Amino acid sequence: MKKIITVIGARPQFIKAAVVSRAFAANNVVEKLLHTGQHFDTNMSDVFFDELEIPRPTWHLGIGGGSHGQNTGRMIEAIEHVLMQERPDWVLVYGDTDSTLAGALAAVKLHIPVAHVEAGLRSFNRRMPEEINRVLTDHVASLLFAPTTAAVSHLADEGISGAAVLNVGDVMFDAALFYGAKAETASAILSTLSLTSKSYALATIHRAESTDDPDCLRHILNGFAQFAGIIVLPVHPRTRARLSAAGLRLPDNIRAIEPVGYLDMVMLEKNARLIVTDSGGVQKEAFFHRIPCVTLRSETEWTELVEAGWNRLAAPSGAETIAQAMQAALGTTGKSIAPYGDGNAAGKIATRLLEEIAS
Ligand code: UDP
């Protein structure tokens, strides 16, 4: 029987895979999930499988917590072992994590074709581990599912074009539409936290560039301290560890909570007056729910949102820049744009992979 093995390992990949796995199930495609273990805490992993109804992984490698080299190396070895036994027709990978690259490398060396969802994104900052992972994965993939026209052009600039590249739209948009409606009834997070709509800002910080340098973290916290109002901050495990190592205390207006499940996150996003983040996914979700956003980076892969005025960049190199950008963003909207497809990216991915498998 023809089959696809999907390699996932980190929080945003669970959300993306949820919508694509549902489209596979609707099309009778046999998909088996391989979870590398990159994110393993209950609230960074299990909650997504439960509430988004993702099929249970057939393999759980339990690889996480090491350096990039350690994780990627161990993952390649373990994924190769599974692929040699299973011999799938395709390997599907998502985004830009070490799990993405490990899955892609293990597969191509066994001559198993790789499909990459979220192909063609570029920050043009090669110091980001994510940028290295996505560039290398794109260059070994046989099918590249790009989320935007900008992503298609980036691939063309690197010599990747033709039938292998397909602009299907963004699977995160599919997820926001599908689970956004569900969250309205399924999430009780606002009452649990005693929050009312539009009474708070929502922030997330987790990237290596924001958290590894204590000065950078200090600027972010000092910028947040100047904001007149509550900031709800679901604290990523990496950020918690870095804050504690640097001995940094959160300002009084920060409401720190544990990471939440996706339905609660969507609810927190929809009802925020402002979103401040260094996350790729959260920047876009701010736009999907039409909430003004400040991105704590000096560049972004999702440039269309900055150009249309939905998002502002504020490099975390000074507290003032951050505080000013947050103040300026409050109450703003952007131009009417629709760069992320029609909400059926997952269906298009499933259809194309089915065609490939059948041919
Ligand atoms: N997210 C979540 N709970 C949280 C924080 C984030 O469900 O406490 C979701 C968020 O809505 C988005 C995804 O996780 O869909 C983003 O993941 P992350 O920021 O870790 O990665 P990135 O998008 O930057 O790759």
Side-chain angles (χ1 to χ4, degrees), residues 1 35 57 68 75 84 90 150 173 192 204 265 284 288 295:
M1 190 187 288
H35 186 329
H68 286 292
M75 285 177 197
M84 281 167 76
W90 281 85
F173 183 38
T192 306
T204 74
M265 187 64 182
K284 273 177 303 158
F288 297 150
T295 294

Side-chain angles (χ1 to χ4, degrees), residues 232-244:
V232 176
L233 177 73
V235 188
H236 191 282
R238 182 215 300 265
T239 311
R240 188 172 292 286
R242 298 292 186 275
L243 284 169
S244 145

Side-chain angles (χ1 to χ4, degrees), residues 180-334:
K182 217 171 162 188
E184 295 285 347
T185 48
S187 167
I189 190 75
L190 295 185
S191 59
T192 306
L193 297 177
S194 304
L195 292 169
T196 53
S197 187
K198 305 298 166 189
S199 67
Y200 62 91
L202 175 69
T204 74
I205 318 161
H206 76 290
R207 281 190 191 283
E209 309 96 87
S210 323
T211 56
D212 284 359
D213 175 0
D215 282 340
C216 193
L217 262 184
R218 202 170 290 116
H219 292 315
I220 294 173
L221 297 184
N222 289 341
F224 284 179
Q226 292 177 41
F227 182 72
I230 298 173
I231 303 176
V232 176
L233 177 73
V235 188
H236 191 282
R238 182 215 300 265
T239 311
R240 188 172 292 286
R242 298 292 186 275
L243 284 169
S244 145
L248 289 171
R249 211 179 70 82
L250 294 174
D252 292 341
N253 63 332
I254 301 258
R255 183 90 186 266
I257 59 173
E258 288 297 314
V260 291
Y262 184 66
L263 298 178
D264 284 344
M265 187 64 182
V266 168
M267 220 36 202
L268 285 172
E269 288 172 344
K270 281 182 152 188
N271 288 283
R273 52 201 282 244
L274 176 70
I275 291 179
V276 192
T277 188
D278 64 357
S279 157
V282 177
Q283 281 171 61
K284 273 177 303 158
E285 286 163 358
F287 166 70
F288 297 150
H289 306 303
R290 303 295 190 263
I291 310 296
C293 182
V294 172
T295 294
L296 300 172
R297 289 176 52 195
S298 43
E299 78 281 306
T300 176
E301 300 76 25
W302 307 100
T303 46
E304 53 282 330
L305 295 180
V306 178
E307 283 153 18
W310 288 102
N311 188 11
R312 292 157 197 260
L313 297 177
S317 48
E320 281 306 318
T321 320
I322 295 168
Q324 281 165 11
M326 289 173 69
Q327 189 55 40
L330 275 178
T332 63
T333 57

